[in-house]
Amino acid sequence: MRASTIMRWVTGLGEAFLAIPFLGGLYVISSGYSLLGVMFVLHIITLILAIRDYSAKSGSVVGLVTSAIAWIPVIGWFMHAVSAVLLIIQAVISHPKRHY
Protein backbone atom coordinates (compact mmCIF):
# COMPACT_ATOMS: atom_id res chain seq x y z
CA MET A 1 0.00 0.00 0.00
CA ARG A 2 1.38 3.41 -0.98
CA ALA A 3 1.98 6.18 1.53
CA SER A 4 -0.64 8.38 -0.17
CA THR A 5 -3.27 5.68 0.31
CA ILE A 6 -2.34 5.26 3.97
CA MET A 7 -2.57 9.03 4.49
CA ARG A 8 -5.96 9.10 2.75
CA TRP A 9 -7.17 6.53 5.28
CA VAL A 10 -5.70 8.52 8.18
CA THR A 11 -7.15 11.86 7.07
CA GLY A 12 -10.44 10.30 5.95
CA LEU A 13 -11.01 8.61 9.28
CA GLY A 14 -9.92 11.77 11.11
CA GLU A 15 -12.44 13.80 9.12
CA ALA A 16 -15.12 11.15 9.79
CA PHE A 17 -14.47 11.47 13.52
CA LEU A 18 -14.70 15.25 13.35
CA ALA A 19 -18.00 14.92 11.43
CA ILE A 20 -19.69 13.22 14.38
CA PRO A 21 -22.26 15.79 15.56
CA PHE A 22 -21.36 17.50 18.84
CA LEU A 23 -18.52 15.08 19.66
CA GLY A 24 -16.31 16.27 16.79
CA GLY A 25 -17.14 19.88 17.58
CA LEU A 26 -16.38 19.30 21.26
CA TYR A 27 -12.89 18.00 20.40
CA VAL A 28 -12.21 20.90 18.03
CA ILE A 29 -13.31 23.51 20.56
CA SER A 30 -11.55 21.82 23.50
CA SER A 31 -8.31 21.78 21.51
CA GLY A 32 -8.60 25.52 21.01
CA TYR A 33 -9.16 24.85 17.30
CA SER A 34 -5.58 23.56 16.98
CA LEU A 35 -6.97 20.23 15.80
CA LEU A 36 -8.00 21.98 12.59
CA GLY A 37 -4.38 23.08 12.13
CA VAL A 38 -3.17 19.51 12.61
CA MET A 39 -5.66 18.28 10.02
CA PHE A 40 -4.54 21.06 7.64
CA VAL A 41 -0.92 19.85 7.90
CA LEU A 42 -1.97 16.21 7.41
CA HIS A 43 -3.93 17.20 4.29
CA ILE A 44 -0.86 19.00 2.92
CA ILE A 45 1.25 15.88 3.49
CA THR A 46 -1.42 13.74 1.81
CA LEU A 47 -1.57 16.13 -1.14
CA ILE A 48 2.21 16.05 -1.61
CA LEU A 49 2.20 12.24 -1.51
CA ALA A 50 -0.70 12.11 -3.99
CA ILE A 51 1.17 14.40 -6.37
CA ARG A 52 4.24 12.18 -6.06
CA ASP A 53 2.18 9.05 -6.76
CA TYR A 54 0.22 10.61 -9.65
CA SER A 55 -3.04 9.82 -7.88
CA ALA A 56 -6.24 11.73 -7.05
CA LYS A 57 -5.75 15.02 -5.29
CA SER A 58 -9.30 16.33 -4.87
CA GLY A 59 -9.88 14.74 -1.46
CA SER A 60 -6.85 16.48 0.00
CA VAL A 61 -7.80 19.81 -1.57
CA VAL A 62 -11.33 19.56 -0.14
CA GLY A 63 -9.76 18.62 3.21
CA LEU A 64 -7.60 21.75 3.12
CA VAL A 65 -10.66 23.90 2.46
CA THR A 66 -12.51 22.08 5.23
CA SER A 67 -9.72 22.75 7.73
CA ALA A 68 -9.78 26.42 6.80
CA ILE A 69 -13.54 26.95 7.23
CA ALA A 70 -14.51 24.25 9.74
CA TRP A 71 -14.71 26.75 12.59
CA ILE A 72 -18.17 27.66 11.24
CA PRO A 73 -20.49 25.25 13.12
CA VAL A 74 -22.94 23.74 10.59
CA ILE A 75 -20.75 24.34 7.54
CA GLY A 76 -17.83 22.73 9.37
CA TRP A 77 -19.81 19.60 10.13
CA PHE A 78 -21.00 19.32 6.52
CA MET A 79 -17.50 19.88 5.11
CA HIS A 80 -15.96 17.29 7.48
CA ALA A 81 -18.54 14.75 6.28
CA VAL A 82 -17.90 15.54 2.60
CA SER A 83 -14.13 15.36 3.09
CA ALA A 84 -14.37 12.06 4.95
CA VAL A 85 -16.49 10.42 2.27
CA LEU A 86 -14.30 11.69 -0.56
CA LEU A 87 -11.02 10.66 1.08
CA ILE A 88 -12.25 7.21 2.08
CA ILE A 89 -13.62 6.53 -1.41
CA GLN A 90 -10.31 7.63 -2.92
CA ALA A 91 -8.41 5.40 -0.48
CA VAL A 92 -10.52 2.40 -1.45
CA ILE A 93 -10.15 2.85 -5.19
CA SER A 94 -6.68 4.43 -5.28
CA HIS A 95 -4.33 3.42 -8.01
CA PRO A 96 -1.58 5.60 -9.46
CA LYS A 97 -1.58 6.91 -13.00
CA ARG A 98 1.40 5.45 -14.78
CA HIS A 99 3.64 7.69 -16.87
CA TYR A 100 5.98 5.81 -19.15
Side-chain angles (χ1 to χ4, degrees):
M1 189 179 298
R2 290 179 313 282
S4 62
T5 303
I6 293 169
M7 286 303 294
R8 277 191 192 98
W9 279 111
V10 169
T11 55
L13 293 173
E15 291 289 352
F17 175 75
L18 294 176
I20 299 171
F22 303 109
L23 185 61
L26 180 64
Y27 274 99
V28 169
I29 292 169
S30 67
S31 74
Y33 294 90
S34 64
L35 194 53
L36 297 178
V38 170
M39 289 303 294
F40 190 84
V41 171
L42 290 175
H43 286 301
I44 289 173
I45 293 168
T46 307
L47 180 60
I48 291 168
L49 293 171
I51 290 168
R52 184 193 69 181
D53 291 345
Y54 300 104
S55 59
K57 298 164 220 36
S58 58
S60 297
V61 172
V62 171
L64 288 169
V65 172
T66 298
S67 295
I69 65 168
W71 56 271
I72 304 169
V74 175
I75 293 172
W77 166 80
F78 178 75
M79 290 299 293
H80 282 306
V82 169
S83 297
V85 169
L86 189 56
L87 285 161
I88 291 170
I89 288 172
Q90 287 179 353
V92 169
I93 63 172
S94 71
H95 48 70
K97 296 178 185 171
R98 305 248 186 241
H99 292 280
Y100 295 103

